[in-house]
Amino acid sequence: MTRPVCVLVGPPGAGKSTVGQAVAAALGVPFRDTDTDISTAAGKPISEIFVDEGEEHFRALERAAVATALSSFDGVLALGGGAILADETRAALAGHTVIYLSVELTDAVRRVGLGGGRPLLSVNPRATLKYLLDQRRPLYEQVARNTVVTDGRTPAEVADEVRGLL
């Protein structure tokens, strides 16, 4: 059975894509981001999926994209920030090497800005991001084998720590 080398989870601004690409390059394996898979399959950005079809439709696409990647991809996999909200996704992550990239509000705001094409951050972005961080943290911790703190660190430093955990 094919399975990812590791799965990166965490909120917006944690560095899942940047760190994931660095880890994959260092290990000589491919990198994949389920948000990119969803955008490619839908033929439009995630922000447009939210506007055109709604969050529920996006979450259905996300569950399918994660399930496919978990069973067919053998590199470093990054999940969208909200992927862990689905019970079936959390169950599917059991047995995988899941690493939670944690980030606190100050660094997350600095990294993602306040909005910037992220549909869930379009209204009162700072308060919404704080809510998302607080709401999702227990779910990230539930699925993760390890947690890597990203605050105040470079992507290279975080990638080195992730590699050391594998």
Side-chain angles (χ1 to χ4, degrees), residues 14-119:
K16 298 177 300 289
S17 294
T18 302
V19 169
Q21 290 171 11
V23 171
L27 296 176
V29 298
F31 171 76
R32 185 166 171 180
D33 184 323
T34 57
D35 279 352
T36 301
D37 292 350
I38 295 163
S39 292
T40 300
K44 57 184 158 183
I46 289 172
S47 57
E48 287 183 24
I49 298 170
F50 266 75
V51 170
D52 296 345
E53 288 91 22
E55 183 176 1
E56 188 174 317
H57 178 75
F58 168 75
R59 295 295 175 201
L61 296 175
E62 183 175 56
R63 287 189 301 274
V66 171
T68 298
L70 287 175
S71 66
S72 66
F73 181 67
D74 61 0
V76 175
L77 179 64
L79 304 189
I84 47 77
L85 294 172
D87 293 337
E88 56 264 49
T89 295
R90 291 194 309 277
L93 288 169
H96 287 276
T97 302
V98 180
I99 299 175
Y100 164 35
L101 300 183
S102 75
V103 64
E104 297 302 323
L105 182 61
T106 301
D107 275 29
V109 167
R110 184 176 49 77
R111 293 174 187 171
V112 302
L114 295 176
R118 296 179 185 261

Side-chain angles (χ1 to χ4, degrees), residues 7-10 84 90 93-94 96-101 137-148:
V7 181
L8 301 177
V9 299
I84 47 77
R90 291 194 309 277
L93 288 169
H96 287 276
T97 302
V98 180
I99 299 175
Y100 164 35
L101 300 183
R137 182 174 288 114
L139 300 176
Y140 295 132
E141 291 170 347
Q142 176 188 336
V143 301
R145 179 177 292 175
N146 297 99
T147 298
V148 175

Side-chain angles (χ1 to χ4, degrees), residues 4 11 15 20 30 33 64 103 107 119-120 130 133 142 144 154 162:
D33 184 323
V103 64
D107 275 29
L120 291 180
K130 180 178 181 350
L133 290 170
Q142 176 188 336
T154 67
V162 169

